[in-house]
Amino acid sequence: RELYGKHSPPKVARALAEALLSCGMPSLFGAVLVSACAGFRWHQTAFGTTVRRLLVVGDADFSFAAGLQRVLAASERPPVLIATGYEAEAGLNERFPRASTHIEQLRAGGAEVLHSVDATRLSERFEAGSLDRVVWNYPHIVGKTNLKWNRELLYNFLESTSPVLAAGGDVCVALCQGQGGTALERVPCDFTQTWQATIQAGRAEHLLIDAVPWAEVAVEGYAPCRSKGSVAHAFGLSFEIGEGGLLHIFAPAVQALAAARQAADNHLFLHELQIARGESGELALDARELLRIVTSVVGPDLARAVCHRETYAHPSLFGTGRTCDRFEAVYQSASGVLCREEVESLWERVEDELARLLEGRQGARLAKRKHAGWRASREMSAAEMFHSDDVAPPAFREPQALCDLDEYERQARAASAAGAHLEARGLPSPRCALPLWAVPQVGRELGLAALVAGG
């Protein structure tokens, strides 16, 4: 227990349990230790409240619920487990041959088993505020993959959980590597080809509280499967999760704010501003000054950064010989949900203030703007980003792609010190073809690798 409390990952405790078993410890003790460690997260919500009623939806062959039941049984007061599937009971075993065995195990252990439960219409089957946790692993639209439909599925599911969640409850959604498209993904992905989890959560007035590797919370015996084919003639098909799966933990934004919980990641809104230089040809505003102006209008909780993208001539807007600077202001909420309508109002207020300030700057003016909308955080270039520590909430976890120039300098100093340490010991210094700010995560790993290699 002491080891687990210090190091956190359940796999450490599992390894300890296996070692105890190999040394001749009683098998019951080892089994209980494994179950307790694996079930630590399942017994408690993201807000620290005890899970009393836990709902599993979309469990095709009920293998996850059966495995989770064994984990929950290790606690002194196991929560009430409600296992549900989307398919009707009739013909279920033909599609998923193992379903009947798992259902028998669940009912024998006291769990409630329901069929034909639509995860996007939970209020039709469950009372308001009756659930502490709702779990859906690897949701997917029946049939051929379609990003738009799967995004809508995630949004409709999260929206459906709001009325049935009790105070302090949360929602767990497992997604394969790259599906969520958040800054918590282990491997950078193309945001346009993801389910855009933070956007769907925002639409449903939820926040992404955390995301943990699936390997740390997986239960024994669970074999993911999905339906393939048309809705009427679908059949069960198993698939591999892969190494990068994440369990995303969402919660209603209102509850998160009441508990002072901030988002682990939230989508960005980009505001494109084109500012024409004055008669002197000098820059009307630099990125740092523009950041101060934006912050004064929208507040420090929403103004995340300002990026100077390019300087170019734009005769159609400003006339021959006029130069324009294109900036992008980044809005992102760490503790609430920003909807598109609210952001459009912020855009207008910022533009009105800029137009007023530019009137006295020798012909400099704000051009007709174009709103860039929301994008993935990792599309931003760290080299051009100006970001103030006073702007970001101190407890907010900075997305990788929004690291600022101070972060670049810290990484550069760390890499330089590591190289000098290696050279002093007669070892070759690491060389990186990319500047460290180009790939912040790689830069951190290289610095760590150099320090470890140097002892």
Side-chain angles (χ1 to χ4, degrees):
R1 184 164 53 187
E2 181 180 1
L3 177 68
Y4 176 73
K6 289 182 178 179
H7 298 279
S8 179
K11 60 183 180 182
V12 175
R14 291 194 189 103
L16 175 60
E18 292 173 1
L20 291 172
L21 288 176
S22 66
C23 293
M25 296 294 291
S27 59
L28 178 61
F29 174 78
V32 170
L33 178 58
V34 172
S35 298
C37 294
F40 179 79
R41 294 184 184 275
W42 295 114
H43 289 88
Q44 201 173 47
T45 71
F47 300 103
T49 60
T50 301
V51 176
R52 298 179 299 274
R53 288 174 59 84
L54 191 153
L55 171 66
V56 177
V57 300
D59 197 2
D61 65 353
F62 293 88
S63 62
F64 175 77
L68 182 59
Q69 185 182 51
R70 292 189 291 270
V71 172
L72 298 176
S75 63
E76 294 181 0
R77 296 182 179 179
V80 175
L81 177 61
I82 308 170
T84 70
Y86 179 70
E87 290 80 5
E89 185 173 7
L92 178 64
N93 218 47
E94 297 177 2
R95 294 184 181 182
F96 306 101
R98 300 188 305 160
S100 59
T101 302
H102 295 145
I103 291 174
E104 290 176 3
Q105 294 175 0
L106 286 166
R107 286 175 173 162
E112 184 179 354
V113 178
L114 302 175
H115 301 279
S116 302
V117 174
D118 188 341
T120 65
R121 306 172 70 174
L122 294 178
S123 59
E124 297 179 1
R125 303 291 297 268
F126 303 98
E127 297 180 0
S130 62
L131 303 171
D132 298 296
R133 170 164 282 172
V134 182
V135 182
W136 195 359
N137 296 322
Y138 306 101
H140 199 280
I141 289 288
V142 175
K144 190 176 180 180
T145 300
N146 185 296
L147 283 175
K148 180 180 178 181
W149 294 346
N150 283 317
R151 290 168 184 167
E152 286 300 309
L153 176 67
L154 180 57
Y155 156 64
N156 290 327
F157 166 62
L158 291 174
E159 186 180 46
S160 175
T161 63
S162 296
V164 298
L165 279 178
D170 61 15
V171 182
C172 300
V173 182
L175 296 174
C176 294
Q177 178 174 299
Q179 279 185 335
T182 70
L184 305 180
E185 294 282 353
R186 293 182 174 182
V187 179
C189 53
D190 182 358
F191 185 69
T192 62
Q193 300 302 310
T194 71
W195 294 16
Q196 301 175 349
T198 55
I199 292 178
Q200 313 319 322
R203 293 173 60 197
E205 298 187 356
H206 278 59
L207 289 182
L208 175 63
I209 300 298
D210 202 357
V212 296
W214 175 254
E216 295 185 8
V217 295
V219 299
E220 184 181 358
Y222 174 51
C225 55
R226 63 184 178 90
S227 295
K228 186 176 181 179
S230 64
V231 176
H233 303 91
F235 60 91
L237 181 70
S238 61
F239 66 94
E240 294 295 331
I241 298 174
E243 297 182 356
L246 291 176
L247 185 71
H248 300 76
I249 303 175
F250 300 93
V254 174
Q255 294 190 24
L257 289 173
R261 287 297 301 269
Q262 295 182 330
D265 186 31
N266 222 336
H267 56 276
L268 307 175
F269 285 92
L270 306 187
H271 185 188
E272 185 172 289
L273 296 162
Q274 301 180 46
I275 300 177
R277 297 190 178 190
E279 299 173 356
S280 63
E282 296 181 356
L283 186 67
L285 293 170
D286 61 17
R288 294 187 185 278
E289 186 176 2
L290 183 55
L291 176 61
R292 288 194 293 270
I293 295 172
V294 171
T295 303
S296 68
V297 175
V298 306
D301 293 333
L302 299 180
R304 300 290 292 125
V306 167
C307 176
H308 181 252
R309 282 302 188 191
E310 60 179 332
T311 301
Y312 64 97
H314 202 318
S316 63
L317 284 179
F318 311 112
T320 305
R322 297 295 295 274
T323 302
C324 176
D325 293 285
R326 185 169 69 89
F327 296 88
E328 279 183 351
V330 183
Y331 307 119
Q332 184 182 44
S333 174
S335 56
V337 175
L338 273 179
C339 67
R340 183 61 180 256
E341 293 73 17
E342 291 175 322
V343 174
E344 287 179 350
S345 175
L346 296 178
W347 285 337
E348 293 177 0
R349 289 165 51 195
V350 169
E351 289 161 3
D352 290 343
E353 179 65 12
L354 275 176
R356 185 186 68 81
L357 292 175
L358 292 174
E359 287 179 355
R361 302 205 177 189
Q362 299 179 346
R365 60 192 177 92
L366 181 66
K368 183 178 180 180
R369 82 278 187 182
K370 180 176 69 175
H371 297 158
W374 51 41
R375 293 182 188 171
S377 59
R378 54 179 54 89
E379 290 184 5
M380 305 298 293
S381 171
E384 300 170 333
M385 187 68 63
F386 288 86
H387 177 263
S388 171
D389 291 337
D390 296 333
V391 174
F396 184 64
R397 280 195 289 174
E398 191 71 25
Q400 294 177 8
L402 284 183
C403 74
D404 54 6
L405 296 184
D406 291 336
E407 175 68 12
Y408 156 62
E409 292 174 359
R410 286 193 294 270
Q411 294 174 14
R413 287 195 299 269
S416 177
H421 180 73
L422 293 178
E423 291 175 356
R425 300 190 59 180
L427 299 173
S429 177
R431 294 290 182 261
C432 181
L434 294 175
L436 290 178
W437 52 260
V439 189
Q441 184 63 33
V442 172
R444 281 192 285 271
E445 291 176 357
L446 287 175
L448 177 59
L451 291 173
V452 171

